[in-house]
Amino acid sequence: MSLLKLKMKWLMGLLLLAPLFARAGGDEVVVIYNSWLPASKAVAEHYAAARHVPALQVMGFGLTTNEVMSREDFTELLQKPLVDRLEAARLWKFGDVTVPATNGLREMTETRLVQSKIRYAVLCYGVPLKIEQTSKLDELAAKLVNAEFRHNEASVDSELAWLPRINEEIPLTGPMQNPFYTCTNPATMNCTNGLLMVARLDGPTPEIASGLVDKAMAAESNGFWGRAYFDARGLKTNDNYYLGDSWMLLGAEICRRLGFETELDTNAATFPASFPMSQIAIYAGWYDGNASGPFTAPKVEFMPGAFAYHLFSFSADTLRGGNGWCKTLLAKGATCTMGCVYEPYLQFTPNIAFFLSGWGGGYTFGEAAWAAQPALSWQTTVIGDPLYQPFKKTPPELHAQLARKKNPLIEWSFDRLVCLDLARGVRGPQITQFLENLPTTSHSAVLTEKLASLYDAAGKPSSAIETWQKALQLKPSPQQRLRIRLTLGEKLTEQGDKTAAAENYRQLLKEMPDYPGKSAIEEKLKALEPPPVAEQK
């Protein structure tokens, strides 16, 4: 069995065996804002109200309004004062702990965090994003790490994550091993065990930052729906960078088994701008320097609660300007993401496959994000509500809720139940019959498109074409309409119906005159349309 298949088996075991965890609450959170920036306080107050965070746990600190801060300012203005405030508020308690003698070392007494009422820290818009490199640190440990890791710059999030261990002599040069990497028991991920799960409500504007909790709570209430897209690079297993591809491949399979319509691209290039990316619930890809492809469009079809992530070394270099990945994904509507503020090196970037397996198994966003981090005191920032827990209800529970409320989102719930059955090995004809007899299908573009794909897979092209054409009449989203049009063009051409194929492509160009793939469609039309008849003399 290949290594990839072994990893898949292990992650699927985690997904299937993971219990449904209790919902995390605002009393487990400390909210941190920049007191020099009114917008930062406004974001903090909005989050605290939404998640019922006690007022005592909302704290302001006077910080630079730049995205980068010095190591000295981080230590003196945020790190140490935060510990003092947590102690003063009786949210943390330090005490002396006796460490038994072991391996020839004498018994000793250490001061450790022995009690904590919090597990999460939320950094609000205006709290600096990263800590710059300093030459003032002279650490013996720096001489013991590989040359490429002899750096002490870091993300503020990752440096605060080990805050419970502040009384220890922690080297700041290079990455620190995260003892909770691939943790399968999130209850152990707490401050008394040495981890503060840090996330930020941030983005290009305060309004976008505030909206992250609103979209997360909407998905928790009405369901986390949409499609999943993965953009691997098609690397071979002996490639030095295959680790990144393996995470994408595993992540795609996890989403398929979670019941998402999942598309996996293994071409070397990333998704082109012409790719029809509709109703995005989950996106993960790599390795472009700036936001590209479908994400350059004026509008991106992110669903409420969407997680979007692009693996690139400087994806979170800034959240304010430019067209970097994290900034763009948030600006276009993603609810949560992760990124790197400085060069992390591939092996220290988030393990997106483990993130999805944990999140899909009931972890909060914060738990899943930090269980996916190989390192602390390094370069990753986690952006989104750490309490966000979209998979806390089982699909049948959520479906029953939508049915009681006659919520139109039930079309997506039916789609997920169908996808779950297909992933379990239920035969296509049974699923086809179910959708044919389901009243919801007749007025759902989502389910009608699914039915068409089942006809196509069963070798019934005429039924598939007719059903795709019906889906076009059911108000699909713009990108869904584009996908159906592109599919219909191919299928009609294969069936030899050039007239209908040409008309379909003409309709596509009429509906989307600015389509990035316009030239390719025009070439198809030239091949389909008969040459003009020469005039007779």
Side-chain angles (χ1 to χ4, degrees):
M1 183 179 290
S2 70
L3 179 60
L4 183 62
K5 288 182 178 179
L6 284 170
K7 286 182 178 179
M8 188 73 250
K9 185 175 181 181
W10 175 65
L11 286 173
M12 285 300 105
L14 169 65
L15 188 64
L16 293 172
L17 296 176
L20 287 174
F21 304 106
R23 179 177 178 176
D27 58 339
E28 296 181 291
V29 180
V30 60
V31 181
I32 298 166
Y33 66 90
N34 188 340
S35 58
W36 291 114
L37 198 63
S40 184
K41 184 179 182 181
V43 172
E45 290 174 341
H46 177 78
Y47 181 81
R51 288 298 193 184
H52 304 292
V53 179
L56 189 66
Q57 294 170 211
V58 181
M59 303 178 180
F61 298 87
L63 307 168
T64 176
T65 56
N66 295 326
E67 287 188 281
V68 61
M69 68 193 311
S70 68
R71 173 63 66 176
E72 291 81 3
D73 280 354
F74 171 78
T75 302
E76 299 303 323
L77 301 180
L78 181 57
Q79 186 186 45
K80 290 180 179 179
L82 176 56
V83 173
D84 292 341
R85 294 276 293 274
L86 291 172
E87 284 192 278
R90 298 184 180 181
L91 298 172
W92 274 7
K93 180 181 179 181
F94 289 89
D96 291 338
V97 176
T98 300
V99 181
T102 181
N103 296 330
L105 298 175
R106 293 180 300 172
E107 179 181 286
M108 64 180 67
T109 300
E110 294 181 347
T111 301
R112 293 183 180 178
L113 184 65
V114 294
Q115 291 181 23
S116 177
K117 295 181 180 180
I118 61 166
R119 299 177 68 214
Y120 305 91
V122 172
L123 312 181
C124 296
Y125 176 93
V127 172
L129 177 66
K130 52 190 181 180
I131 305 165
E132 64 186 358
Q133 170 83 6
T134 179
S135 59
K136 295 180 181 180
L137 287 176
D138 184 18
E139 298 181 311
L140 175 62
K143 301 177 177 63
L144 303 178
V145 299
N146 292 344
E148 64 268 30
F149 302 130
R150 292 175 190 168
H151 305 282
N152 56 55
E153 69 265 34
S155 81
V156 170
D157 308 32
S158 192
E159 207 69 273
L160 285 178
W162 60 267
L163 190 66
R165 300 174 61 186
I166 193 168
N167 291 316
E168 301 178 35
E169 292 186 7
I170 301 294
L172 300 177
T173 302
M176 177 198 304
Q177 182 180 0
N178 179 8
F180 297 96
Y181 178 50
T182 67
C183 174
T184 57
N185 182 6
T188 65
M189 300 173 68
N190 56 58
C191 293
T192 54
N193 285 334
L195 179 68
L196 175 64
M197 290 178 281
V198 183
R200 62 176 51 237
L201 297 183
D202 212 336
T205 67
E207 292 75 20
I208 288 173
S210 283
L212 299 183
V213 64
D214 301 329
K215 289 183 285 189
M217 294 180 72
E220 287 178 338
S221 177
N222 298 314
F224 179 39
W225 309 115
R227 302 169 69 93
Y229 299 88
F230 289 83
D231 201 348
R233 296 170 61 188
L235 301 179
K236 303 297 183 183
T237 55
N238 61 351
D239 192 290
N240 290 336
Y241 293 96
Y242 180 71
L243 177 64
D245 249 25
S246 72
W247 288 339
M248 299 298 164
L249 298 174
L250 290 169
E253 181 60 18
I254 287 165
C255 283
R256 189 181 72 84
R257 299 204 186 189
L258 282 170
F260 288 96
E261 299 278 2
T262 302
E263 296 194 46
L264 171 64
D265 179 84
T266 56
N267 295 317
T270 49
F271 284 119
S274 59
F275 182 80
M277 192 173 283
S278 78
Q279 300 140 315
I280 308 164
I282 292 171
Y283 162 78
W286 74 314
Y287 188 77
D288 269 356
N290 287 305
S292 61
F295 301 102
T296 60
K299 181 175 175 55
V300 179
E301 290 184 8
F302 280 121
M303 299 288 277
F307 170 76
Y309 168 76
H310 193 90
L311 196 168
F312 177 69
S313 294
F314 300 93
S315 56
D317 174 62
T318 174
L319 300 180
R320 300 288 182 266
N323 59 344
W325 277 101
C326 286
K327 178 260 181 183
T328 301
L329 294 172
L330 293 166
K332 295 297 174 71
T335 299
C336 47
T337 185
M338 292 183 278
C340 293
V341 299
Y342 296 112
E343 174 60 64
Y345 297 94
L346 176 60
Q347 65 268 38
F348 293 118
T349 60
N351 178 338
I352 200 65
F354 193 88
F355 166 79
L356 291 167
S357 67
W359 205 35
Y363 291 34
T364 64
F365 174 63
E367 289 167 342
W370 286 103
Q373 305 289 336
L376 308 179
S377 186
W378 203 229
Q379 314 306 345
T380 300
T381 180
V382 176
I383 307 168
D385 177 7
L387 300 184
Y388 178 30
Q389 196 175 11
F391 296 97
K392 62 181 180 291
K393 297 176 184 175
T394 65
E397 287 173 337
L398 190 52
H399 188 84
Q401 172 191 310
L402 295 173
R404 285 194 306 271
K405 296 182 178 181
K406 297 182 180 180
N407 192 318
L409 287 170
I410 201 166
E411 64 176 347
W412 283 106
S413 183
F414 276 121
D415 184 73
R416 181 168 296 174
L417 294 174
V418 164
C419 290
L420 285 169
D421 279 345
L422 290 169
R424 295 187 190 106
V426 177
R427 295 175 65 249
Q430 292 176 258
I431 302 296
T432 300
Q433 185 178 24
F434 169 75
L435 288 177
E436 288 173 336
N437 296 327
L438 181 68
T440 307
T441 304
S442 63
H443 52 82
S444 166
V446 171
L447 296 176
T448 301
E449 182 185 7
K450 184 64 176 179
L451 181 59
S453 69
L454 289 169
Y455 284 140
D456 186 56
K460 299 179 178 179
S462 296
S463 296
I465 288 170
E466 180 183 354
T467 307
W468 273 310
Q469 289 170 333
K470 287 180 181 178
L472 289 172
Q473 308 306 314
L474 297 173
K475 298 182 180 179
S477 74
Q479 289 295 308
Q480 183 186 12
R481 177 178 293 277
L482 172 61
R483 179 176 56 251
I484 295 171
R485 286 283 186 206
L486 292 172
T487 303
L488 268 174
E490 294 176 2
K491 299 301 178 179
L492 288 166
T493 302
E494 289 174 3
Q495 294 303 303
D497 194 342
K498 293 185 178 181
T499 301
E503 177 58 25
N504 174 76
Y505 284 132
R506 282 192 290 270
Q507 285 297 315
L508 188 160
L509 294 177
K510 181 179 179 181
E511 293 161 356
M512 300 188 72
D514 297 324
Y515 175 52
K518 182 178 180 178
S519 60
I521 299 301
E522 290 172 340
E523 289 299 316
K524 291 178 183 292
L525 277 170
K526 286 181 183 179
L528 290 168
E529 293 172 336
V533 178
E535 293 184 7
Q536 293 183 353
K537 294 184 179 180

